[in-house]
Amino acid sequence: MKFNLRVISGILGLLISINGVFMLLCLPFSLYYHGKWFPLLLSSLITLGTGLALWLPNKNLENKELKKREGYLVVTLGWLMMSLFGTLPYLLSGTIPHFTDAFFETISGLSTTGASVLTDIEGQAKGILFWRSLTQWIGGMGIIVLAVAILPLLGIGGMQLFVAEAPGISPDKLKPRIKDTAIRLWLIYALLTAVETVLLMFGGMNFYDAINHALTTMATGGFSTKNTSVAHFESAYIEYVIILFMFLAGTNFTMNYFGLKGQFKKVWKNEEFRYYLGSIALFSLLISITVFYVTDDSFEKSFRDSLFQVVSVITTTGYATADYTTWTPALTILFFLFMFVGGSAGSTAGGVKIVRHVILFKNSFLELKRQLHPSAVMPVRLNRKAVRQEITFTVLAFIMIYFLIFAVGSLLVALTGVDFLTSIGAVATSLGNIGPGLNKVGPVENFAGLPSAAKWMLSLLMLLGRLELFTVLMLFTPHYWKRG
């Protein structure tokens, strides 16, 4: 297949340049807190210089058509390039001197996984920690979607990028033009981030901690500025604020758009939203009753800890206020299963996604009916509309491949010398873009002790999970590279 390499280079250059501009936003915090500002400036200049060198020679091409196959290639390469250049602040500042660890931390941020190799977060420079949080905010909505809003201004249509990047079964377009959709998504994203920052400051956080936690909450990323995550603040108010915004970040942003416009009936009519809200409410209540009886905490504390951990894992945020692996073995298994749930399609959450589970279960029950009535036409219905059969097949294929990758990934990580529980926990949390796993990578541990080979495997799984499997996997199929 022939690719338009100059268009691809130009788009990658634009994405790298935007990454470099975001690095500059970290400088004020470095200067204010008297931290390491020069490594950030140098990282930004290198990133910007490389990006502009790729973009400027290719910005005025006559043929700027971006085909579907090229869109998938640009998204995958874009994330890899951003991850590579994103390592510079860590490497040049000496915060993470080894490239493997720096790449792991960067792709964990951009994929909004939140798995970390840093053992003393509070001892790091403020500007570097802000870059760490910013990588999650960039990756949350997707810098590709931001580029979609810019590319039409350059004469390049961005629909293929949006299709490849937007999570879920199919991207919801709030407006007829894809550029307008991308702009509105980012405006909602930025607005909710700003509101959460203000509310956290009302709870006693300083501006630095508040904006860092708002960035990583809305990205459902979970990076914190504290060693003990949100538990450090010992504030019920702060925890409830973060619970609310984790929930909103895990909600389809189309529903957030309708909610901001006061169209609550449209929100409630959405079947995925009802399952999302209902499952969180039900499991939080059941778990809180169990936690109340197995600990000495009050019911309010048991309920708050349970709700926080349920929302954090299901939305794939990964914050922690309690170690759920110490409650009961049954609850540990339950939280492990939550890692395969995911938030809503069209949200910043990772994982399988609620809507895929809904379609899977509906199709399974209908299959039982079809056995009794083989001639009857019984399509799967979602929001009272028939789901096209090809979408149902795609969902089934996605879930099958997802669990196959989980099984193979767990085996490969275990072969590097990692124990079984740690392996399955690390793979599940990386593929689902969650953060905490089980055993040695549990809620109060980190990934620093894993072998380098395991970290590279988990980095690949983070990318696969963030880009919804197919975007990356199709690049490895012979059909993708055939002419035509």
Side-chain angles (χ1 to χ4, degrees), residues 214-246:
L215 291 172
T216 57
T217 300
M218 288 311 305
T220 62
F223 276 159
S224 176
T225 55
K226 304 299 180 183
N227 291 328
T228 54
S229 190
V230 179
H232 169 90
F233 300 98
E234 297 182 342
S235 168
Y237 170 84
I238 286 174
E239 290 175 22
Y240 280 122
V241 168
I242 290 177
I243 287 170
L244 171 62
F245 283 90
M246 284 193 296

Side-chain angles (χ1 to χ4, degrees), residues 338-361:
F338 286 162
M339 294 181 187
F340 297 94
V341 177
S344 303
S347 70
T348 61
V352 176
K353 302 293 192 306
I354 296 288
V355 68
R356 288 194 178 99
H357 289 293
V358 172
I359 290 175
L360 172 66
F361 286 122

Side-chain angles (χ1 to χ4, degrees), residues 18 29 37 49 54 57 89 108 118 138 168 185 187 194 200 252 259 265 379 388 421 429 433 450 483:
I18 294 173
F29 292 101
W37 60 268
L54 287 171
S108 177
L118 292 178
I138 295 167
L185 287 173
L187 287 175
L200 289 175
N252 188 316
K265 286 185 178 180
R388 298 197 311 274
L421 281 180
T429 196
N433 304 135
L450 296 183
R483 292 183 179 273

Side-chain angles (χ1 to χ4, degrees), residues 125-299:
K126 301 295 187 187
I128 298 296
L129 285 185
F130 187 73
W131 169 244
R132 183 171 174 262
S133 299
L134 202 55
T135 57
Q136 293 202 325
W137 197 76
I138 295 167
M141 183 58 67
I143 197 173
I144 309 297
V145 178
L146 177 62
V148 164
I150 297 173
L151 293 180
L153 302 177
L154 309 177
I156 303 174
M159 184 59 189
Q160 301 310 332
L161 285 179
F162 187 78
V163 170
E165 160 62 13
I169 295 172
S170 60
D172 287 312
K173 293 173 65 176
L174 306 180
K175 293 292 178 181
R177 296 183 63 187
I178 199 69
K179 180 191 72 173
D180 295 333
T181 295
I183 291 173
R184 278 164 176 75
L185 287 173
W186 268 94
L187 287 175
I188 294 169
Y189 190 52
L191 174 64
L192 292 175
T193 303
V195 171
E196 185 186 357
T197 301
V198 173
L199 291 178
L200 289 175
M201 291 177 68
F202 281 143
M205 275 193 188
N206 59 42
F207 174 71
Y208 178 78
D209 286 333
I211 192 170
N212 273 274
H213 284 85
L215 291 172
T216 57
T217 300
M218 288 311 305
T220 62
F223 276 159
S224 176
T225 55
K226 304 299 180 183
N227 291 328
T228 54
S229 190
V230 179
H232 169 90
F233 300 98
E234 297 182 342
S235 168
Y237 170 84
I238 286 174
E239 290 175 22
Y240 280 122
V241 168
I242 290 177
I243 287 170
L244 171 62
F245 283 90
M246 284 193 296
F247 178 82
L248 292 176
T251 302
N252 188 316
F253 268 70
T254 305
M255 298 302 106
N256 285 324
Y257 176 76
F258 290 144
L260 289 171
K261 293 185 68 176
Q263 299 175 347
F264 300 111
K265 286 185 178 180
K266 283 189 176 182
V267 177
W268 186 247
K269 284 181 180 179
N270 184 269
E271 199 169 346
E272 182 187 30
F273 177 79
R274 295 201 303 272
Y275 277 106
Y276 172 58
L277 176 62
S279 59
I280 287 176
L282 176 63
F283 284 115
S284 297
L285 181 59
L286 294 176
I287 292 172
S288 63
I289 293 172
T290 304
V291 173
F292 177 67
Y293 281 105
V294 300
T295 65
D296 296 326
D297 295 332
S298 65
F299 185 76

Side-chain angles (χ1 to χ4, degrees), residues 426-458:
V427 170
T429 196
S430 297
L431 189 58
N433 304 135
I434 299 164
L438 300 175
N439 205 24
K440 295 179 182 178
V441 292
V444 296
E445 305 290 342
N446 67 17
F447 290 68
L450 296 183
S452 294
K455 290 173 184 172
W456 282 108
M457 292 178 196
L458 296 176

Side-chain angles (χ1 to χ4, degrees), residues 60 66 158 210 214 273 284 324 381 394 426 442 468 473 482:
N60 294 317
L66 186 68
F273 177 79
S284 297
Y324 54 75
R381 293 189 176 275
T394 301
E468 303 266 306
L473 291 178
K482 287 182 179 178

